[in-house]
Amino acid sequence: PQLASPLFAPLFSHHFSTLLHLVKMVSADVLWQCVKKQNAFLVKRSGVQFSKEKGNLKALNTFKYSGLVNANSVNIAPAGDADDLKITYNDLTLKGYDVKQMARKIEKTITRADLKKDALSKVTYTHKALRAAKAGVKKSKN
C-alpha cells in the first residue's frame, strides 16, 4: 500500500516550514510512517539509507535522528564567518566560535538526553573541519 497521497504532498517537498507546521498537527509516529521510505532527503547507498534533512545529526534515516518528524531536533551548521558555528534547537539559535563555549550551551539548552552526546561530537567535528578549511590544504614537497 502506498502511503503517499495528495494530503501528504507537503511532506515530500522542500518546504521545511510547512513540514514543521504539520509536525505540530500530526503525531510523530504517524508522520514517520509516511516519510520513512520516501522523502526528498533520502539517499540510498550500499544498502544503507541516509538522510540529508536539516536537524539530522547522524545523517541516518531513523526515527531517533529525523529532523522531519521530531519537534525537538538539533541542527549544527557553519555560521558564515571563519570558524563560527550555529546551533538551532526548536526556535532557539545559538552562535559561537569556541568549542568549549558551544559545549556548555548544548548542555544547558538541549533537553533530549539521547541527542546531547551526538550534538557534542558534531560540534567538535564541524569545528575541526572549519579550522582545516580556514588553514588551507598543505601541499607535500615531492
Side-chain angles (χ1 to χ4, degrees):
Q2 183 141 357
L3 294 175
S5 69
L7 175 65
F8 294 106
L11 297 178
F12 305 108
S13 69
H14 64 281
H15 300 292
F16 197 71
S17 62
T18 305
L19 189 60
L20 287 178
H21 178 68
L22 194 58
V23 167
K24 295 175 185 174
M25 295 172 36
V26 179
S27 76
D29 294 327
V30 171
L31 196 57
W32 176 247
Q33 292 301 319
C34 294
V35 300
K36 72 179 180 180
K37 291 186 181 179
Q38 294 179 344
N39 65 58
F41 305 105
L42 193 59
V43 177
K44 297 177 183 180
R45 296 217 174 113
S46 304
V48 181
Q49 292 184 350
F50 296 103
S51 184
K52 300 187 293 184
E53 76 223 17
K54 187 176 177 182
N56 191 330
L57 289 174
K58 292 262 190 167
L60 295 174
N61 189 35
T62 61
F63 178 78
K64 176 181 177 180
Y65 295 114
S66 178
L68 295 175
V69 298
N70 291 315
N72 296 334
S73 63
V74 181
N75 186 37
I76 299 170
D81 291 337
D83 54 354
D84 287 355
L85 293 174
K86 179 174 76 171
I87 300 173
T88 309
Y89 180 69
N90 294 341
D91 293 331
L92 179 68
T93 301
L94 309 169
K95 291 185 181 180
Y97 63 92
D98 184 30
V99 175
K100 290 181 182 179
Q101 172 194 16
M102 296 305 278
R104 283 192 298 269
K105 287 181 180 180
I106 287 172
E107 288 291 332
K108 288 180 183 177
T109 57
I110 296 178
T111 57
R112 283 187 59 187
D114 59 336
L115 292 184
K116 280 186 184 182
K117 182 180 174 185
D118 296 325
L120 290 172
S121 66
K122 182 148 184 183
V123 163
T124 305
Y125 173 79
T126 307
H127 189 261
K128 280 184 182 180
L130 288 173
R131 290 192 46 106
K134 180 181 174 184
V137 180
K138 295 180 182 178
K139 296 181 181 179
S140 61
K141 297 178 182 180
N142 287 355

